[in-house]
Amino acid sequence: MGNILSVLIENSDMRICEIAKSGAAITVKNAFQVELPSGTVDDGVIVDVEAVAKVLYAALKNNNIKRGKIAFVITSRKIANKEVTLPYVKNEAKIEEMIKANIEDYFPMNNLEDYIIRQTVLETVENAEGKNNNILVTAVQKQMVEEYYRLASMLKMPVETVDYYNNSLYQLLRKQLTQGVVLAIQMDENATMVSIMRDKVQLFKRSIPYGKQTIIRNLAEFKSIDEEEAEAILSDPRKLDLELTPEEYSEVIRDFSSSVTRMAEFHTSRNPGTVIEQIRLMGTGINLIGFTEILGKELGLEVVTIKELNGVKIAKKNLHGLNYELLADYLPLLGSMMQSLNLKAGEQKKGTDWHRIAYLLIAVALLANAAMAGFFIWQYFTMKEVKANLETQIAAEEPAEAVYNAYNNAQSDYTQIKEYYDSTKNSNEMLYTMILDLEEVMPESVGITNLTAENGAVDITGVAGGKSALSKFVIELKKLSYVSNVRVENVADTYDEFGNSTSAFNLNLQLNFPEENSEEVTEEENTEQSTGEDSES
């Protein structure tokens, strides 16, 4: 396979790697970063495709890169994830069928046809109840993916693949950790992925809103210096020894280390048999001088950095003097070359043959609908005639036994249908309602970074503009009639140079399915009250 350009497009810049792939091994030939004009990208969505295409075209020209295949890695809070457990099936096609059959339970949205659904088997578990697959299901908006394909089309570059940021990091991590229970910390510029791995299986994963730039900003605030000077201190051992004591360093990273500790404690509390044996650090954090030593003291276990990457080589001749320390800034672009989710825009559209098949399917569907409609019309008039005959017989003979039997049959049918209906009810059905309500009641200074739901239990991770905003958010949640047991599990505060606070939080709540007859009761009570008032007047 020839060269592939792997690209991660964020709100303000693009990270680009030129990669040569041979079998399972990849070789990085160049890696660099370019800035984007303001407003061209919004949370993973390319707003101005033409502007991004011009920047990317100029970057390729300036770095003497020939246009070949291109791969994209998307990062966005709009991408939904859901971990599910299904009976063990080895065949991937069968797993996909099971996911499609239950997809509305995982993502209770009324426009699922606008999403691309992918699944990744995380783990196979066997217990007394049987053998199951733990699966991560991902839903990505088709329109978001289509913009990346349009960008590739403008550049006249065929698309190799489109992957999701979290999956790319996960696939790279699986190559590095092969034995033992490991707490893996994958630090990027402004966020960090915390994973607990057993051999190559991911047992636990959470994202926290702290990255390399967060540590630099914390030091700048702590020492009342600018961020460039803070970064210089964390890049030079001599400056670090002169400017920062170990105790001060611990204070600077306290929010970060506390968040990692809480994640580890949360997992081990739910899995008492899991003992973390090692801590491994990947990504931008490996370039912060002294960071691993201080973090290890805070976590109570030695932190070992992963620099040289299994399955990844660096070309001896490259344009920017690339090495593994510099490559740490580009890890999200590598895993997609190993095993991508392979998100495709219009993946059913495959030229003229597909259109013919589509038209044929539509025609068959229309004929089937017409036949079904005719059947129901015939059945309606047939049953109407049967009903009329029965009514005539009952009116003529009025046999008590026939009436009694008809009642019993109707009661039995009702009970059976109600059982079927009740079996379809799930508290997660209220998740979509809650999301709509959040758009109305959530304070502007509150942002949700991760939301998961299982059987009505919702776990929310986010950032608020201080505890006051967080308290208001909690109050608004409690006002929702179908929400109960709202609990804030963790709050971590950070302060900017003006004393303004930002609170990273984790809270959970319970969604309750409303009683089926509550509206009917209310209407009856209102009717009775209205009648009573009229009588008094």
Side-chain angles (χ1 to χ4, degrees):
M1 183 179 293
N3 290 352
I4 301 171
L5 201 70
S6 184
V7 181
L8 171 62
I9 302 176
E10 298 177 286
N11 288 351
S12 58
D13 56 53
M14 281 189 291
R15 283 181 265 180
I16 302 168
C17 281
E18 184 184 11
I19 294 171
K21 184 175 179 182
S22 177
I26 63 174
T27 301
V28 183
K29 302 176 71 174
N30 282 307
F32 55 95
Q33 189 169 330
V34 293
E35 292 186 359
L36 285 171
S38 176
T40 54
V41 179
D42 180 21
D43 192 19
V45 179
I46 303 178
V47 178
D48 190 339
V49 179
E50 186 174 349
V52 175
K54 288 180 179 178
V55 173
L56 186 50
Y57 178 82
L60 300 185
K61 187 176 181 180
N62 293 339
N63 288 274
N64 298 318
I65 297 176
K66 295 181 180 179
R67 285 181 292 171
K69 292 183 178 181
I70 190 167
F72 295 105
V73 178
I74 304 178
T75 176
S76 174
R77 290 175 295 176
K78 297 178 181 179
I79 297 176
N81 292 285
K82 174 73 174 178
E83 289 187 21
V84 301
T85 301
L86 293 175
Y88 174 76
V89 176
K90 188 175 181 179
N91 187 285
E92 284 286 340
K94 293 292 184 182
I95 293 175
E96 186 175 351
E97 288 179 11
M98 295 168 70
I99 294 295
K100 288 181 178 178
N102 296 281
I103 195 65
E104 292 183 356
D105 294 335
Y106 307 149
F107 303 110
M109 300 177 286
N110 58 6
N111 61 334
L112 279 171
E113 67 278 3
D114 297 331
Y115 284 78
I116 301 170
I117 307 298
R118 291 290 185 269
Q119 63 279 336
T120 304
V121 178
L122 300 176
E123 182 183 20
T124 299
V125 179
E126 191 167 4
N127 51 37
E129 298 178 357
K131 197 173 182 181
N132 296 309
N133 281 331
N134 289 338
I135 300 171
L136 179 66
V137 186
T138 303
V140 186
Q141 290 179 342
K142 290 180 181 178
Q143 184 177 359
M144 182 188 298
V145 176
E146 285 167 356
E147 295 303 309
Y148 285 84
Y149 275 81
R150 195 155 73 89
L151 171 60
S153 177
M154 284 186 176
L155 294 168
K156 297 181 180 179
M157 299 176 70
V159 176
E160 170 68 15
T161 189
V162 178
D163 198 11
Y164 172 39
Y165 178 97
N166 285 10
N167 179 71
S168 183
L169 283 179
Y170 169 60
Q171 298 301 336
L172 180 64
L173 186 63
R174 290 177 70 242
K175 285 280 187 179
Q176 315 312 313
L177 306 177
T178 58
Q179 292 182 342
V181 179
V182 182
L183 174 65
I185 303 171
Q186 294 170 287
M187 180 182 284
D188 207 350
E189 291 296 308
N190 296 294
T192 297
M193 187 72 68
V194 179
S195 305
I196 296 178
M197 304 284 292
R198 183 176 61 223
D199 301 331
K200 290 189 177 184
V201 175
Q202 189 174 55
L203 305 177
F204 176 84
K205 179 194 70 177
R206 287 291 187 276
S207 177
I208 58 177
Y210 301 102
K212 177 183 177 181
Q213 292 303 319
T214 314
I215 304 297
I216 293 171
R217 283 195 297 270
N218 286 353
L219 177 58
E221 294 172 5
F222 186 81
K223 302 290 287 185
S224 299
I225 56 179
D226 59 39
E227 291 186 15
E228 289 185 4
E229 189 175 351
E231 186 170 7
I233 291 173
L234 295 175
S235 303
D236 188 333
R238 291 173 297 177
K239 286 186 178 182
L240 180 66
D241 291 339
L242 291 173
E243 300 289 341
L244 201 62
T245 67
E247 291 75 19
E248 291 174 330
Y249 206 153
S250 295
E251 189 62 33
V252 168
I253 70 166
R254 183 63 48 78
D255 290 339
F256 179 88
S257 60
S258 297
S259 296
V260 175
T261 299
R262 283 195 298 271
M263 297 298 179
E265 290 176 348
F266 176 78
H267 175 74
T268 52
S269 67
R270 293 193 172 187
N271 302 272
T274 303
V275 177
I276 296 173
E277 302 167 358
Q278 312 166 50
I279 300 178
R280 295 289 183 266
L281 174 67
M282 298 172 59
T284 58
I286 70 172
N287 297 322
L288 297 175
I289 302 299
F291 178 67
T292 55
E293 291 81 1
I294 300 300
L295 181 61
K297 290 179 181 179
E298 291 291 309
L299 300 180
L301 197 62
E302 181 186 9
V303 177
V304 178
T305 59
I306 297 177
K307 295 183 180 180
E308 294 192 13
L309 303 169
N310 294 331
V312 180
K313 296 179 180 179
I314 296 177
K316 292 181 179 179
K317 293 183 179 181
N318 59 76
L319 190 63
H320 298 91
L322 188 65
N323 55 36
Y324 281 106
E325 283 75 14
L326 296 175
L327 189 61
D329 292 334
Y330 299 88
L331 298 190
L333 290 85
L334 306 180
S336 61
M337 296 293 99
M338 298 172 178
Q339 187 173 334
S340 170
L341 288 183
N342 200 22
L343 305 171
K344 295 183 178 180
E347 54 190 22
Q348 300 301 322
K349 298 177 182 179
K350 296 183 180 178
T352 306
D353 290 340
W354 180 89
H355 287 292
R356 290 173 182 170
I357 294 172
Y359 293 142
L360 178 61
L361 290 175
I362 292 171
V364 171
L366 290 173
L367 289 173
N369 286 337
M372 187 175 294
F375 169 75
F376 283 120
I377 292 171
W378 171 80
Q379 188 179 46
Y380 169 76
F381 285 107
T382 300
M383 296 306 295
K384 185 176 181 181
E385 185 178 353
V386 171
K387 180 174 177 288
N389 292 335
L390 289 174
E391 287 175 347
T392 301
Q393 293 177 21
I394 292 171
E397 300 179 6
E398 296 184 350
E401 184 177 359
V403 174
Y404 178 75
N405 289 338
Y407 170 81
N408 283 340
N409 291 335
Q411 181 66 33
S412 176
D413 290 344
Y414 169 78
T415 302
Q416 185 178 22
I417 293 171
K418 188 175 184 303
E419 287 176 356
Y420 290 155
Y421 171 72
D422 289 343
S423 68
T424 65
K425 297 192 330 187
N426 186 303
S427 295
N428 271 2
E429 295 178 30
M430 299 307 298
L431 181 60
Y432 179 64
T433 301
M434 188 188 78
I435 291 172
L436 294 179
D437 287 340
L438 285 181
E439 293 180 358
E440 301 294 331
V441 305
M442 188 168 69
E444 292 183 0
S445 62
V446 175
I448 294 176
T449 58
N450 193 52
L451 187 151
T452 60
E454 184 173 358
N455 296 327
V458 179
D459 187 81
I460 299 175
T461 301
V463 179
K467 289 181 179 177
S468 175
L470 176 57
S471 299
K472 184 177 179 182
F473 182 39
V474 172
I475 291 171
E476 294 297 334
L477 285 174
K478 290 183 176 180
K479 289 180 181 178
L480 301 177
S481 61
Y482 49 83
V483 171
S484 64
N485 297 332
V486 182
R487 298 190 305 277
V488 179
E489 298 291 348
N490 297 298
V491 180
D493 291 333
T494 56
Y495 297 87
D496 62 19
E497 58 185 350
F498 303 107
N500 298 320
S501 65
T502 301
S503 299
F505 65 87
N506 178 262
L507 64 80
N508 52 60
L509 55 87
Q510 180 65 42
L511 296 176
N512 303 303
F513 198 92
E515 292 297 328
E516 181 181 2
N517 61 351
S518 59
E519 295 182 2
E520 297 177 2
V521 172
T522 304
E523 291 175 2
E524 290 174 5
E525 291 175 354
N526 290 341
T527 303
E528 292 175 1
Q529 292 175 1
S530 176
T531 305
E533 291 172 0
D534 292 342
S535 299
E536 289 176 6
S537 61

